[in-house]
Amino acid sequence: LQRAIDTAAVLFEDHPKTQEMDLLRERRTGYLCDEPSPGKRRSMPTFLSKEAVEGKPEVRRRAQQLLDELFQTPCDALAVVTHKGFLRELDQGPLQEFTWLRCQCAR
């Protein structure tokens, strides 16, 4: 999530209403690089465990939770800054019913 936060900070520098949401994190693969970084790590394994693995259905459930939350938020415009994998599952999952609202994953 840190890369997305850094990108948002560049895009929306000094914006008073930026918000960090754990729902927008990358899919958990079991590898340390996909886990939240609580600060400096010391000699941790690169692979955590199979219990930490999150599949596409779990990411789509998080995407649905995001939509539910966003549709209850009064605003004129908003930006979602996150990872490609999350955007893909958002686009191919919950957004399928909204033909007028589509996200695009830049390559």
Side-chain angles (χ1 to χ4, degrees):
L1 192 57
Q2 189 59 52
R3 288 177 296 146
I5 293 168
D6 293 344
T7 300
V10 170
L11 294 172
F12 304 104
E13 184 179 10
D14 299 325
H15 194 284
K17 292 189 177 182
T18 56
Q19 182 180 359
E20 179 183 329
M21 299 176 76
D22 187 56
L23 287 175
L24 297 174
R25 67 177 154 63
E26 184 62 279
R27 181 173 70 96
R28 288 193 167 139
T29 61
Y31 289 96
L32 188 60
C33 63
D34 293 326
E35 292 300 310
S37 54
K40 302 267 183 202
R41 297 184 186 114
R42 283 187 255 144
S43 64
M44 292 182 72
T46 54
F47 189 79
L48 298 176
S49 71
K50 292 189 183 218
E51 288 79 39
V53 174
E54 181 181 38
K56 290 181 181 182
E58 289 85 11
V59 177
R60 285 190 185 184
R61 278 194 285 280
R62 281 196 287 117
Q64 183 62 58
Q65 286 178 285
L66 173 71
L67 279 186
D68 294 344
E69 204 167 309
L70 292 179
F71 284 138
Q72 294 181 14
T73 304
C75 63
D76 293 326
L78 63 91
V80 175
V81 181
T82 186
H83 301 275
K84 178 184 97 174
F86 184 87
L87 289 173
R88 181 182 51 240
E89 296 310 318
L90 177 66
D91 185 53
Q92 295 176 3
L95 285 183
Q96 286 296 307
E97 65 184 272
F98 299 101
T99 56
W100 51 271
L101 175 68
R102 298 307 302 246
C103 69
Q104 294 191 9
C105 299
R107 294 181 194 249

